[in-house]
Structures are given as C-alpha cells and as structure tokens.
Amino acid sequence: MAFELPPLPYEYGTLEPHVDSMTMQIHHTKHHQAYVNNLNAALDKFPELKDLGLVDINKAVGTDKLPTEAATVIRNNGGGHYNHTFFWKVMTNPSNTNGPSGAAKEAIEAAFGSVDEMKTKFNAAAAGRFGSGWAWLGVKSDGSLAITSTPNQDNPLMSGLPDAAAMVPILGLDVWEHAYYLKYQNRRPEYIAAWWNVVNWEQVSANYEAAKAGTVPL
C-alpha cells in the first residue's frame, strides 16, 4: 500500500504567531509531500518492502533489511515522512499548551532535574545541530529520558546511530531552515524559543506512555 500525506490535526494558521501559516502550508504540502512521493517511488522498485509500515521502515535503516541501492533514498524519505508525521502531532494552538504533567513530567524531572533544565539542554541540541536536522526527547532502552539530535532526516529509531541517540522519540523539533526561515530567517534560537509555546504536552504524555509500554508513537 502506498503511503499518503497525513492531514494536519489543525489549520495552517493555528500555530500563529509562533509558527506562521505560510511556512506550515509550504512545509506540509510541498516538503512533506515530496518525502511521501519519493518514498513511494523507491518502494515501487522493491515490492518486498511494501508491506512494511513506516515505523518498521525507519527501524530497518542502517541494517541489511534494505537493498543497498535503495538504502539512501529510503533513509532520507522514509525518515522525512516519519519525522514530519510525528512533528505535526506534537504541536497545538498556543492556548492549549500548559506544560508537561503526570508521569511525563515526573520522568523529565528525574532525568534533568527540572522542566526548565530539560528545555535548556533540548535548546542546545537544536541550536547546535550543524546544518539541517532534528532535536529529540526520547525514552531510552532502560526507560530513562534523554536528548539527542540527528542530521538531515535521520531519527532515533534508525540503526547505526551513536548509542546516545538510540531511543523512542516522544518530542521532536525540525531545525531545517525551511521550518522557520520565512519568519525567523537565520535566527534559529529565536525559533526554538518560540516553538515551546506550541508544544502539545498532552501528545507528549501520550507518546511517553506508549514508549514506556514498548510502542513507537506515530
């Protein structure tokens, strides 16, 4: 079955003024759509991979499960499709974001000392990612929370990354320039700081519960 561009769970202007409507429209309908199209085109050449779901495709990156001649295009576009599908869901209208709560908040405080300290470390990972990539908060194999960043459209589900990057994502931030350049130009730290105003903490909590239960949230 071919992959499809998922609809956003809100309107393009919902994240204003922190993420502008034009950026969201271009990001979703052009960039994300291109990853979907390119992934489908690659999988058309390898029908044996078509039964894999998006999570399994990403887990297969860096392993011998992917044909060598398709590994790079599937890594880039399968990663792009997963990352963006995940990203849209961890954002919401600014009026709906109230900060972490419950088990997720307790885990953040246990791992980092406080929510503010987690944000400081996350911001550093996002701002320090050279070129294009992502910052992630995730659950490691021992159940603890950690922060990492990945280049391009890589994500912590993929094999062959440094051990510190291996985790199940529960929160992720796109720091490719196309995610913020229309509004923030080269001011990536300003974009990162503003983005916290649209984080969907209810989704993050649900992602955390899923990850603790052994499920990869998508």
Side-chain angles (χ1 to χ4, degrees):
M1 180 187 300
F3 289 106
E4 297 181 354
L5 181 71
L8 293 186
Y10 39 73
E11 300 297 324
Y12 290 121
T14 295
L15 309 182
E16 293 270 11
H18 308 290
V19 183
D20 62 284
S21 177
M22 182 61 73
T23 291
M24 287 298 297
Q25 184 172 0
I26 295 171
H27 200 170
H28 180 242
T29 65
K30 303 299 183 184
H31 292 279
H32 192 175
Q33 183 70 70
Y35 293 124
V36 173
N37 293 346
N38 292 336
L39 177 60
N40 285 332
L43 294 178
D44 280 342
K45 300 175 183 177
F46 298 94
E48 68 273 19
L49 301 177
K50 282 197 164 189
D51 289 336
L52 291 178
L54 187 54
V55 168
D56 287 335
I57 283 176
N58 278 266
K59 286 184 173 181
V61 169
T63 75
D64 58 7
K65 293 179 182 178
L66 297 183
T68 302
E69 58 270 38
T72 297
V73 68
I74 291 176
R75 180 185 205 117
N76 291 341
N77 294 285
H81 184 24
Y82 171 85
N83 294 351
H84 287 86
T85 301
F86 180 94
F87 184 49
W88 308 136
K89 293 182 179 180
V90 296
M91 296 188 290
T92 189
N93 187 287
S95 65
N96 296 333
T97 181
N98 299 311
S101 61
K105 183 180 181 182
E106 292 176 4
I108 289 170
E109 292 173 340
F112 304 102
S114 69
V115 174
D116 285 343
E117 185 61 21
M118 181 276 290
K119 288 182 178 181
T120 296
K121 287 182 166 59
F122 189 98
N123 291 353
R129 167 51 57 188
F130 182 77
S132 301
W134 293 74
W136 305 95
L137 173 67
V139 178
K140 296 185 67 64
S141 59
D142 64 2
S144 65
L145 291 181
I147 288 168
T148 192
S149 70
T150 54
N152 303 316
Q153 293 297 348
D154 284 3
N155 61 61
L157 300 177
M158 296 176 176
S159 299
L161 301 179
D163 288 342
M167 60 184 71
V168 176
I170 65 170
L171 180 65
L173 174 60
D174 188 346
V175 293
W176 282 63
E177 284 189 342
H178 64 241
Y180 62 88
Y181 205 83
L182 290 181
K183 182 175 179 67
Y184 297 98
Q185 290 80 54
N186 64 331
R187 304 187 306 277
R188 185 191 287 185
E190 185 178 336
Y191 157 69
I192 296 167
W195 175 75
W196 289 108
N197 292 294
V198 299
V199 170
N200 184 343
W201 287 107
E202 289 187 7
Q203 184 64 56
V204 174
S205 291
N207 290 347
Y208 175 72
E209 296 294 346
K212 290 286 285 184
T215 301
V216 175
L218 182 59

